[in-house]
Every structure is written in C-alpha cells, then in structure tokens.
Amino acid sequence: MTSIGRLIPLFLALLLAVAGAGAATAAHIKAVLEAETLRPAAGSRITLALSMTPERDWHGYWLNPGDAGAPADIAWTLPRGVTVGPLRYPVPQRLIVQGLMNYVYERPYALLMTLNVPKGLAPGTPLRIAGKARWLACSPTICVPEQGPVAIDLTVGDGAVTAASRARFDTWRAKLPMPLGQVASFEAKAGKLRLAIPFPKGRPVTAPYFYPATDGVADYAAPQMISRRGDRLIVEIKAARNPQPVQAIEGLIAIGPDRGLTVTARPGPVPAAGVPIAGAGDEAGADGWRTFLLALGGALFGGVLLNAMPCVFPILSLKALSLARSGETDRHARVEALAYTGGIVLSCVALGLLLLGLRAGGAAAGWGFQLQDPRMVFVLLLLVTAISLNLAGLFELRAVGIGEAMTKGRGALPAFWTGVLAALVATPCSGPFMAGAVGAALLLPPAAALAVFAGLGLGLALPFLLVGFVPALRRLLPKPGAWMDRLRRILSVPMFLTALGLAWVLGQQAGVDRLVQGIGAALLLGLALWWVGARQAQGKRHSWIPVAPVLAAALALLLVTPSGGSPAAAAATGAEGAEPFSEARLAALQAQKKPVFLYFTADWCLTCKVNEKAAIERPAVREAFERAGVVVMVGDWTNGDPAIGRFLEAQGRSGVPLYLFYDRDGRQETLPQLLTPATLTALAA
C-alpha cells in the first residue's frame, strides 16, 4: 500500500505509540488462532481462523484499508511440509473519519485461511501451528499498531469436526465474499473509473458498493454511482489523483448485508450507465434524494395504476358510485375520501414496517413477501372468493361489511375498512408496477422507505380522494339506477379471476393436495354464503351463522398448510427432477452404486445459467440420464450455503460453477466449466 494519504495517519500512529511507551499492553483488538478440527487427517486441508474481537468504538481493517489503515498479516513458524494459504477477509463496512474513507470491521470478525497437512504423517504426530500476527487497531481519535503471538497445537488424526466447531466456522464462511467467476471490464478516462460487472438482471441486489482491492486506482472517499444495464452492474467512481496504469483491477462488489462477490476486471469497453441503484453511502447526497424522489414518484404512479387491476377496480368503482347513489353532501364525501385514504395508507405503511422488520432480521423478503407463505395465499383465496360472491349478489353480509361498505355504508368507519380491504386485495396484483419503486425503497433509510410505501397507498387512494374532494367529478358520475346492480355483478368477474389466480399460486407453492384443499374450502365457503343469502331473503336473524363452521374448518386446514414451498417447488430451482445437494445423500447414492451428476450453481452466476439452459435442462440430456439411471443433484450457492462452501473447499475450488460426475464405481470426474449437451449425454453412454 503506497498511498501518501494512508502513510500520514500510520506515521502519526507510530509517533503516538513511541510517545506512549508506558501505555497499557492490553490489545484493543483481541486476536485468537482457531482450527476447525484439532485432529486433521494426513494429506487433508483444514480451515484456520484468526478470530478478531474489537473493543467498543475500535475497528480493524480489510485487505485494502482505504485512505488510511493497514491490513493484518501473520509471519508463520510451521512444521516441515505444512503450509498456510493467504488470509481471506469477510465483506467489510465503510467508515469515514475526518474525510478519509476506511474499509473496516467494527464488530467481531474472522480472517480465514487454509492449512495443508502433508501426506504420510503418522496418527498422533503433533503439529504446532504458530506465528506472529500484526494488525492495526483504530478508534475515531487514535490508531495503535498491535501484535502478538498466535498458536494452536494440532494432532494428526481422523479429521473429525465437532458440531459446535462446524457451526462457528460456517458462520464465518457465510460472511466471506464468493468468487464471481466471470471477468469484468473497466475503463479509466476523463478522471473517472468505470467498471462493468457481470450480474444477472433478475437477481436482486441490496445497497451495492465496490471495494477496490487494487490500490491507487480510485478515490475512495468519492461517492459511487452504481446502475443496472441488462446483465451488468455499471460502477462509476472518481479515479485516483495520479492513477497508475494497471492491467487488472481486483475488488469486491457488496450485494447485501455481509454478502459480496470478488471481482477481477480487465481493460475493455464499458456500456453507458443504466437504471440507478441506491447505495448504502448515497442516501445523504443528491443521488440519494434523486433515488428517493424517483421511488416516491414510481410508487404514486404505480398506486394509481393498481386501481385498474381486476382485484381493485371493482372495489374502487362501487365505492365511487356509492357517493352518487347515496347523495352524499360535500362534507360527507370529503370525510369518506379521507377515511378511505387513511385505511389504504396505514395498511401500506404497516406492510412496509413488517417488510423492513423481516429484512432487518435477515430474511430475504421483498414486495409481495406475504404471498410467499401458502397460508397467507389460502386466506386471500377465501377472502377474494367471498368478495366475488358478494359482488355477484349471492349475499349481503354486514359482518363482513363488503356490500354495505361499498354500496350503502356511510361515514368514516365503513370507508376506512374499505380502504384496508382495497390495500389487502391489491397485493396480488402489484408486482408488475411496483417492483422498481419498492425495490428502491428497500435500499433507502427506514423513514424514506416508509414514505415510499405511504406514497403507494396515496396513489392507490388518489382516484377516490379526487372524487370526494372535487364536486365536478362527482357530478360526472352516472345517475343511480338499476344498472348499478348489473355493473356490480359484472365486476364480480375480475374478482373471480383473481381468486382463480390465487388458487394457482397456492398449487405452485404447496402442491396439488393443498390446491384441492384451498378449492374445497372456497366451495364450502360459497355454499355457506349461499345459505346466508337465502336466510337474508327470508328476513331471518343471525343469518351469518352458517359461515362459522366453514371458518372453523378453514382454520384447521390453515394450521396444517405448510408455511414454506413444497419439495417439488423447491426442486424447481434446479433441473427438472434434480435433488437438492447434501453430502449424506451423495454418500448414500454412491453406496447404492448409482451414477450421479452433481452441479453447483448460483443466481448471480451467468456461466451457470447459460450452461443450465444450453445443456443441463435440454430434453435430450434429461432423457439420456433417465435411461442410464443417472441421479441429478444441484447445490444452490446463491446465498452462500456454508455446507456447499465446505464441499467446494474440499474440491480445491473457491466458487461456482462446478460440475462433477460420479460413475457406478464411485470414481469422480470433474467436468469443464462450459458444458454442451454432447458432453452430458456422453456420461450416460
């Protein structure tokens, strides 16, 4: 690291260290050397970790510390034949101190490395792994160079790993960046460094930021502009003041909390910027405001468009016509409009709060996340079925309040609950319009994100709000008449279509059995509501009682409906008929002398996706594998599954794609990274 800006604080830190020679010797960052197993097998590779625990308000540094700082290093003293690989750093965070950008770790972290045990060592052979570690510990006001001996005693054995040790190391592995696998391109001109990083356009990314590992190419403290253009992330950074010519730029692109991909970029063309993505460091600047305003505008526009969707338009139409039907005064119209708007906006903000809370807890939730739970789809199916039958005139149920609230109900309370209903049933229809706006909202600070969700609600309520506040618009509404009942029945058709769509979603998520249960529950509900309508026509009291046993039965079904997708749905992430990867299942198949084609993939791996579409998922390959009895297994490394990470390490690989074939005798063949159908069908010959 040769940056002058970095040497100045280091020099000051050394002066402070010399001046304070009598200071306490306790380290501000505690360093401990750990091994995943204390009994490594001869000829094996095991993982070591330098576990670093900073004191409060202190931090350590990434491989490239940024404008100031220094990375850790270890001078090893090892037994003959034993080697240790380079330190592997987790995804860092950013910290600006006095205008200097630092790439740091403020929470406990671990630097991982691979230890190679030589072959031929007898069981019981002691191995003392020792070294002298050096690192820089800094607070916002002072930096202290620290060092100390680190050592661990190992004994050659069977390589067994305890469950506690495996879990601890897997937690650290999950925070390591994953190799991208495709080469990026860069160009430097006009004082700007631009990179094009391969990244599938369908793969979500949260608060991206590029951490350059190559020193002297970028102005670390300058804001970054990151956008999407097709299958590329376009990164634009201010170049370093006196950039050095380089043939390659190494770095790390962060794609989410503690998630990142290592990148190698070589000189080449970089396309123009695409759709901007908010970065974690952009919110306070003009770019953050621009992103917020674009997201807010998109949410407002998307909310307005939602009113034309089949699940919202009937509710809006009947609610608006109710003003004309009941002859509301201007005051009553405004009250209803505000109450309706309040119901929608509060519902959207509540949904946003829940979504942000789930993401803060580590869940990979996005807009429409509630529809990922079959139980929620089940409830929506019954609700939309009830709405459809009500619009069709089968019943009038004040307990549900749909018919009365939309056609006859007056006052703030019915209007408020109608707004809540509109927001609820809008969820299944919102995807095509809201993906961009809500996706940007999830990258903004919580207050700004909630403002975007409120904007969505305001857009959804805007047409009725205008009808309520603009008398001229109410006068344009057609006069009440028998045609309104006919219109109401016509509007039941799109609601029935919405129910049909929800039934399809339920089947896709939870399988045919749950689909039959959902349709059966909807039919039972329809029969109960038909009975309710008959009792209402006879003027009987408590006409809604027939619904009670149906709701109880639906609740029982709801309790047994799985919260996640079906196994079949899960398997759909790989080739048709593929089994999810597990080492235990692989060992069992080998014991049965079954041939196995095992491949590892990730949603962000373009090479993986090309191979899957061009070779693995071809009908000819599938038929050849079926004839030969080849079992297909897929390991999805999209979110950095530690079990897959361990397996890749054992194969001497650090990333995907990886394609392996095991014949009936258990012999393993590593296939090339670019596949053809002929390559795969030849395996089944």
Side-chain angles (χ1 to χ4, degrees):
M1 307 298 176
T2 58
S3 171
I4 298 297
R6 184 177 308 151
L7 292 177
I8 293 174
L10 283 176
F11 181 67
L12 292 175
L14 289 173
L15 286 179
L16 289 169
V18 172
T25 59
H28 296 288
I29 299 180
K30 181 182 179 181
V32 177
L33 185 63
E34 300 185 34
E36 190 166 16
T37 175
L38 298 178
R39 297 182 56 81
S44 67
R45 291 190 294 266
I46 69 168
T47 303
L48 300 180
L50 186 64
S51 173
M52 311 290 282
T53 307
E55 291 181 354
R56 183 176 179 179
D57 297 328
W58 289 77
H59 57 263
Y61 288 91
W62 185 53
L63 171 67
N64 178 0
D67 285 322
D73 68 79
I74 304 176
W76 291 107
T77 302
L78 301 171
R80 177 175 297 182
V82 175
T83 60
V84 176
L87 296 173
R88 290 182 288 163
Y89 288 75
V91 178
Q93 300 86 44
R94 301 187 297 284
L95 178 66
I96 296 180
V97 179
Q98 297 181 355
L100 300 177
M101 173 64 78
N102 299 266
Y103 300 146
V104 303
Y105 305 102
E106 298 181 282
R107 303 186 300 271
Y109 62 103
L111 310 178
L112 303 188
M113 62 218 88
T114 300
L115 181 138
N116 297 284
V117 181
K119 297 179 180 180
L121 295 180
T125 302
L127 298 174
R128 181 167 179 78
I129 310 302
K132 183 177 182 180
R134 296 179 298 179
W135 63 93
L136 185 67
C138 291
S139 73
T141 57
I142 189 173
C143 287
V144 179
E146 298 181 342
Q147 62 182 11
V150 292
I152 191 168
D153 290 310
L154 309 178
T155 303
V156 176
D158 58 5
V161 180
T162 66
S165 179
R166 175 62 52 82
R168 183 170 173 80
F169 273 75
D170 279 352
T171 300
W172 288 330
R173 285 191 187 95
K175 296 182 179 182
L176 292 175
M178 297 171 284
L180 180 59
Q182 291 89 39
V183 176
S185 60
F186 79 89
E187 59 182 17
K189 58 184 179 181
K192 183 180 295 185
L193 175 66
R194 303 179 70 248
L195 301 95
I197 300 173
F199 196 83
K201 60 183 178 181
R203 174 67 183 164
V205 57
T206 302
Y209 186 89
F210 181 70
Y211 294 89
T214 302
D215 190 28
V217 296
D219 183 339
Y220 302 124
Q224 296 187 4
M225 291 288 295
I226 301 181
S227 60
R228 299 189 85 141
R229 188 175 185 88
D231 286 331
R232 295 288 186 273
L233 294 178
I234 308 301
V235 181
E236 298 182 346
I237 320 172
K238 182 180 179 182
R241 180 169 298 180
N242 296 305
Q244 301 298 316
V246 294
Q247 293 303 310
I249 294 178
E250 306 285 341
L252 183 160
I253 180 76
I255 58 174
D258 294 325
R259 310 302 303 149
L261 304 169
T262 55
V263 175
T264 298
R266 302 193 182 280
V270 176
V275 179
I277 306 174
D282 300 336
E283 296 88 357
D287 297 328
W289 276 106
R290 183 163 55 249
T291 300
F292 167 69
L293 293 175
L294 287 172
L296 183 60
L300 281 167
F301 182 65
V304 172
L305 291 180
L306 283 181
N307 287 281
M309 297 302 289
C311 49
V312 180
F313 181 71
I315 296 175
L316 171 68
S317 301
L318 294 175
K319 189 61 190 170
L321 290 174
S322 71
L323 294 181
R325 183 173 188 174
S326 56
E328 295 284 6
T329 65
D330 289 348
R331 179 180 176 277
H332 286 157
R334 289 194 294 269
V335 168
E336 285 208 29
L338 289 174
Y340 179 82
T341 301
I344 290 181
V345 171
L346 288 177
S347 298
C348 289
V349 170
L351 179 63
L353 281 170
L354 181 58
L355 176 55
L356 293 174
L358 289 173
R359 292 177 67 88
W367 177 250
F369 68 94
Q370 61 274 39
L371 292 180
Q372 297 170 2
D373 189 331
R375 294 170 299 186
M376 187 62 172
V377 177
F378 185 91
V379 171
L380 282 174
L381 172 60
L382 297 185
L383 176 62
V384 173
T385 299
I387 296 173
S388 304
L389 295 174
N390 177 264
L391 294 177
L394 191 66
F395 73 101
E396 296 292 343
L397 190 56
R398 289 176 174 82
V400 176
I402 297 169
E404 293 297 314
M406 289 192 297
T407 61
K408 299 177 183 177
R410 300 179 60 180
L413 191 58
F416 176 85
W417 288 112
T418 305
V420 172
L421 176 65
L424 181 63
V425 299
T427 301
C429 306
S430 56
F433 302 114
M434 295 310 303
V438 176
L442 296 176
L443 305 180
L444 294 169
L450 291 178
V452 173
F453 281 103
L456 166 62
L458 181 60
L460 183 58
L462 189 59
F464 188 71
L465 193 64
L466 290 175
V467 170
F469 273 80
V470 181
L473 291 178
R474 291 202 303 280
R475 287 194 292 270
L476 294 176
L477 295 176
K479 300 298 181 183
W483 65 269
M484 295 183 68
D485 288 330
R486 290 195 298 270
L487 176 63
R488 174 181 168 183
R489 285 159 175 75
I490 292 172
L491 291 176
S492 70
V493 174
M495 295 303 292
F496 279 120
L497 293 176
T498 300
L500 183 63
L502 287 168
W504 179 83
V505 171
L506 181 62
Q508 289 293 105
Q509 289 180 330
V512 175
D513 291 346
R514 303 307 179 193
L515 171 62
V516 172
Q517 290 179 0
I519 293 177
L523 288 174
L524 286 176
L525 179 62
L527 289 173
L529 294 176
W530 168 77
W531 192 1
V532 166
R535 290 169 61 87
Q536 287 177 338
Q538 298 171 8
K540 292 184 177 181
R541 298 180 59 190
H542 307 301
S543 57
W544 52 267
I545 289 178
V547 176
V550 176
L551 293 181
L555 178 61
L557 286 175
L558 189 63
L559 293 176
V560 299
T561 300
S563 61
S566 67
T573 57
E576 182 179 346
E579 298 185 19
F581 165 76
S582 90
E583 292 189 69
R585 177 60 176 159
L586 176 61
L589 291 171
Q590 290 182 285
Q592 299 170 20
K593 296 191 176 300
K594 295 271 190 180
V596 179
F597 171 62
L598 170 60
Y599 71 97
F600 295 93
T601 181
D603 285 352
W604 37 261
C605 173
L606 286 175
T607 302
C608 303
K609 296 306 167 187
V610 170
N611 282 331
E612 288 161 27
K613 296 300 181 184
I616 297 174
E617 297 175 5
R618 297 292 290 272
V621 173
R622 183 169 61 252
E623 292 169 3
F625 280 176
E626 289 176 354
R627 286 195 303 269
V630 177
V631 178
V632 179
M633 297 187 75
V634 55
D636 187 349
W637 206 41
T638 298
N639 294 317
D641 185 339
I644 293 177
R646 290 195 307 270
F647 189 87
L648 294 175
E649 286 184 359
Q651 300 296 319
R653 295 296 184 92
S654 59
V656 292
L658 174 62
Y659 305 103
L660 303 173
F661 181 73
Y662 298 87
D663 64 19
R664 296 183 186 276
D665 296 326
R667 288 188 295 268
Q668 174 186 311
E669 177 184 354
T670 302
L671 305 179
Q673 290 199 354
L674 292 178
L675 299 178
T676 65
T679 302
L680 298 180
T681 54
L683 299 174

